[in-house]
Amino acid sequence: MTENTQQPKPAPTTELPTQYTPAEVEGKLYERWVDKGYFAADAKSDKPAYTIVIPPPNVTGSLHLGHAFQHTLMDALTRRKRMQGFESLWLPGMDHAGIATQNKVEQQLAEEGKSRHDLGRETFVERVWQWKEEYGGKILGQMRRLGDGVDWSRERFTMDEGLSKAVLTIFKKLYEDELIYRAERIINWCPRCLTAISDIEVEYQEDDGELVSIKYGEGDETLVVATTRAETMLGDTAVAVHPDDERYQHLIGKRIKLPLTDRAIPVVADSHVDPEFGTGAVKVTPAHDPNDFAIGQRHGLESITIMDERAVITAHGPFQGLDRFEARAAIVGALRSQGRIVAEKRPYVHSVGHCSRCKTTIEPRLSMQWWVKVGPLAKAAGDAVRDGRVKIHPEDMSKRYFDWVDNMNDWCISRQLWWGHRIPIWYGPDGEIVCVGPDEEPPAGEGWKQDTDVLDTWFSSGLWPFSTLGWPEQTEDLRKFYSTDVLLTGHDIIFFWVARMMMFGLYAMDGEVPFRTIALTGLVRDERGKKMSKSFGNVVDPLDWMDKYGSDAVRFTLARGANPGTDVPIGEDWVQASRNFANKIWNATRFALMNGATVRGPLPDPSEMSSTDRWILSRLNKTVADVDAFYEDFQFAKLSDALYHFAWDEVFDWYVELSKTTFQAGGEAAEVSKRVLGEVLDVTLKLLHPVVPFVTEALWTTLTGGESVVIADWPTDSGFRDEAAEREIETLQSVITEVRRFRADQGLQPGQRVPARLSLEGTTLAPHEPAIRQLLRLQPEGETFTATATLPVAGVEVALDLSGAIDVAAERKRLAKDLAAAEKEKAQATAKLGNDAFLAKAPDHVVEKIRTRLAKADEDIARIQAQLERLPQA
């Protein structure tokens, strides 16, 4: 609540259009905000800093509901902090999205009948930059539509000059600290994207495959192995059994014939093998399986690569040149013809890894790659949460974080792409290896070549909290705005992004955390809780809803569903309801302005106010306190719900309605209520602004004459409470609600007036009689008044004369019919629930449904009997 000592404000205009039309308001307001520099943060300011960096969307992307959801919450946080007097920085930018962007341009080239190899590396990269300038960054304009209050003057791109320097700097630092190394290991290979991808970029799904059992060896020296990838047998270099498995003791150390080849392979003993699984013998293909690679390392086995980068068979023989899946069928056929297929099971449903970008089946492949040694970095990332320097919210998500950082494998950071940060390693003619920093010249002379790979996109985005602020230079921005305050992101990228930023931030910034709080959200789903997917046909373009209902409606719907860490269902009906809420705010403020609501001058003393005025101010302060507490706990759903019910239920449906009689009567009481109403709307619009910025800006500037609610002071709880007034108005609400319910039960039209006697003398409701009569459409009792129905409610009595309002006989007949139907329903449900034979056979959900019907019948009977008792005698 604002201070009573506020300076008088200029008289506002009371003119508002009769209807709120978002399309006529939103775009103009946003451009005004940007032009005025409201979102630009000043590193030289003496205000305390509050910083959020945006999770950089892909340059290829467009705004989807997940973006709209998280951006709404981040915008709400930064807008509120700005109003609280913080130097609030929400820093925007985009990720270069190596694989996704290269794929876009390669698709474009394919339409021209070309490949990137036709252009060459340098020309291809130029072409990608051209694509980025022409087509990339579409999402930035869409962020403006949503109302993102970001500092556009600080917009960054992960391939811009400053961020590229940061990438080279940290690569060299890690390399010199022996935390980056090159090694040949099994990696996840995408035969479509033609690059390595990390473990966390592999999506596993249940696929229909086949499991074949194959007999290796001859005569007494045979073993049976089972595999879902028969084609890899061409690269087998051993069969492994458990050292304690008595079935195979006579074969350990011997060599057996590998079918379809001229090779003999050893039988090795390895404790990795589970003797209880299958036959207890496994084929070992070190170049095409990570577990087999480890066995091969332990036993000094040869690694034979049998596929090229496109997963085409390269092993000599009749299968050379076949695609891996073609080869699988051909090899099984060849083995079957030789009588070596012992068993076949198809379909065999098993978990198969797919590239998260192109959905191609991943092929494990032995490859020379660059790696980050994550052990010490991951430990530091875990310690920062364990010792409380970084809080994870909700706290129960910490387990997922620790599960990842405590068990992290070394990170493969090289990608076989042309678009991205090229690895700054140079190889000399005599085997020299030189790492070149950002301000260093690469080695000159014949025979020197730079590594052809680029870095994983997550390597550069892992630097985002500090590289965007100017690191490695010690800039004013870095000193002012690092560490950032909150990282708000989906729980699905804890592994992709959050852990990497933690590792790099702590390493580069001498133990200073990249963010103090990690606020994890759920994912947006459809209204039935189903994942949104093009294949399901339930994907929604948020821009369509913005066009139809306005950006505020989309934002409020998303915020109202945002419980920490849990998924968010959303449907169009809910967006429409939020649009109705925006219209309600508009219409109520318009009514208030037309009736003289004002923010000019200090609030009157509570002693000059009515109990209705004191009640709403008490409720207002309680709401301010609740909203603040919910913000600090990232409870966006609860704060949105609190604001919705306070604004709609208490301000618009009760206080405004109760004030109408005061305004009509005029005098000093009306002037006091006009000022109170102005205060309530002033504060309510400020509280709503971070979530619904557009409609609140239009209304607040009109109501107050202020420059912008964006830079207005955030309301504070003055501590004013009036429990007596709250109890009084609660009683008043009970009376009005109960009489309205009775009127509806009797079939009275909402506007139909009936004579009534109100027994309010000696109660706190006596001053409210004019308002009660107006809200309930109750006429004075008159000389011929006959009390045909009497309602005792909350300590007062309301007597109604319904003799001329309803056909009592017809109403009794209708209710009697309804009562008979309810009693019949009760009898049927009771009979079924009393039948032991039925209960023994019926499914639980059927029994529960009947119990529900019985409870509903009991409720209906009680309600109808009460209505009959209240009816006058015919």
Side-chain angles (χ1 to χ4, degrees), residues 131-248:
W131 182 93
K132 185 253 180 188
E133 294 305 315
E134 188 171 354
Y135 300 106
K138 176 182 178 183
I139 193 171
L140 299 179
Q142 296 167 340
M143 286 161 56
R144 302 170 88 95
R145 278 287 313 276
L146 187 65
D148 282 9
V150 296
D151 185 346
W152 292 110
S153 69
R154 286 179 166 84
E155 181 191 335
R156 303 306 298 269
F157 180 56
T158 51
M159 288 279 285
D160 69 28
E161 184 179 352
L163 270 64
S164 295
K165 182 176 182 180
V167 167
L168 295 176
T169 300
I170 201 162
F171 186 98
K172 178 152 189 176
K173 180 174 170 59
L174 288 163
Y175 182 80
E176 290 179 344
D177 287 346
E178 299 183 351
L179 293 173
I180 282 183
Y181 63 94
R182 192 172 187 237
E184 188 176 45
R185 292 185 182 172
I186 293 285
I187 47 90
N188 302 300
W189 181 264
C190 177
R192 161 63 185 80
C193 297
L194 298 179
T195 182
I197 64 174
S198 66
D199 292 346
I200 54 179
E201 293 169 300
V202 178
E203 292 179 350
Y204 287 90
Q205 65 184 49
E206 297 295 307
D207 285 359
D208 286 345
E210 62 180 358
L211 180 69
V212 293
S213 298
I214 309 167
K215 182 173 67 176
Y216 283 25
E218 302 289 351
D220 293 335
E221 297 182 350
T222 62
L223 286 165
V224 175
V225 300
T227 181
T228 58
R229 301 166 66 218
E231 69 279 7
T232 63
M233 68 167 293
L234 300 176
D236 285 358
T237 57
V239 173
V241 298
H242 194 276
D244 299 331
D245 194 331
E246 294 182 0
R247 293 172 293 178
Y248 304 119

Side-chain angles (χ1 to χ4, degrees), residues 260-539:
L260 306 181
T261 73
D262 295 326
R263 292 189 291 115
I265 58 176
V267 177
V268 299
D270 196 283
S271 57
H272 168 76
V273 178
D274 180 1
E276 303 297 324
F277 183 76
T279 64
V282 296
K283 59 191 286 299
V284 182
T285 320
H288 292 277
D289 183 274
N291 293 323
D292 293 4
F293 178 76
I295 293 174
Q297 292 284 293
R298 288 194 288 272
H299 296 277
L301 301 176
E302 182 183 4
S303 295
I304 301 175
T305 299
I306 63 159
M307 295 183 209
D308 67 11
E309 60 183 8
R310 297 183 185 276
V312 173
I313 301 299
T314 57
H316 295 298
F319 312 107
Q320 187 174 3
L322 295 179
D323 170 81
R324 55 183 165 164
F325 301 120
E326 296 172 334
R328 182 176 299 172
I331 287 170
V332 170
L335 291 167
R336 190 184 296 114
S337 68
Q338 292 184 6
R340 288 190 172 276
I341 299 296
V342 176
E344 297 179 68
K345 184 177 181 180
R346 62 171 66 85
Y348 178 72
V349 179
H350 61 135
S351 181
V352 178
H354 295 259
C355 174
S356 62
R357 290 174 176 81
C358 72
K359 311 309 176 187
T360 300
T361 300
I362 290 301
E363 190 63 43
R365 188 168 190 250
L366 184 63
S367 180
M368 184 68 77
Q369 301 285 346
W370 286 94
W371 304 79
V372 171
K373 183 180 179 181
V374 300
L377 302 174
K379 182 181 183 305
D383 289 346
V385 175
R386 286 189 170 95
D387 64 24
R389 283 176 289 155
V390 177
K391 304 287 187 185
I392 292 181
H393 190 88
E395 191 175 351
D396 58 12
M397 285 282 179
S398 298
K399 183 180 184 303
R400 296 184 65 180
Y401 176 80
F402 291 130
D403 285 346
W404 180 249
V405 298
D406 292 346
N407 301 286
M408 196 182 298
N409 296 319
D410 282 2
W411 173 18
C412 177
I413 56 171
S414 44
R415 299 290 181 267
Q416 290 63 55
L417 304 171
W418 286 357
W419 171 246
H421 295 102
R422 194 165 174 181
I423 289 178
I425 294 290
W426 291 74
Y427 304 103
D430 299 318
E432 303 96 330
I433 299 179
V434 175
C435 181
V436 179
D439 300 317
E440 299 170 352
E441 289 295 324
E446 189 175 347
W448 283 92
K449 292 183 178 178
Q450 186 176 0
D451 195 299
T452 57
D453 290 351
V454 300
L455 288 163
D456 178 9
T457 297
W458 296 101
F459 189 95
S460 50
S461 59
L463 315 180
W464 193 250
F466 52 93
S467 64
T468 52
L469 297 173
W471 188 91
E473 307 301 327
Q474 294 303 306
T475 62
E476 285 185 330
D477 276 3
L478 193 64
R479 287 190 290 270
K480 178 75 173 178
F481 297 112
Y482 190 90
S483 300
T484 68
D485 288 270
V486 176
L487 173 71
L488 190 144
T489 191
H491 61 64
D492 56 324
I493 59 172
I494 291 177
F495 323 123
F496 287 92
W497 193 46
V498 178
R500 285 157 175 35
M501 286 189 290
M502 284 285 281
M503 292 192 301
F504 281 167
L506 291 161
Y507 174 76
M509 299 299 292
D510 299 322
E512 244 189 297
V513 296
F515 23 77
R516 299 181 186 95
T517 300
I518 302 169
L520 296 171
T521 70
L523 308 179
V524 179
R525 297 184 177 271
D526 73 11
E527 56 195 303
R528 295 178 181 84
K530 194 172 183 179
K531 180 181 178 181
M532 287 193 174
S533 165
K534 290 180 181 177
S535 61
F536 296 153
N538 61 351
V539 173

Side-chain angles (χ1 to χ4, degrees), residues 2 56 91 102-103 141 268 302 327 513 527 644 701 780 804 822:
T2 51
L91 196 148
Q102 180 157 318
N103 282 348
V268 299
E302 182 183 4
V513 296
E527 56 195 303
Y644 176 89
T701 52

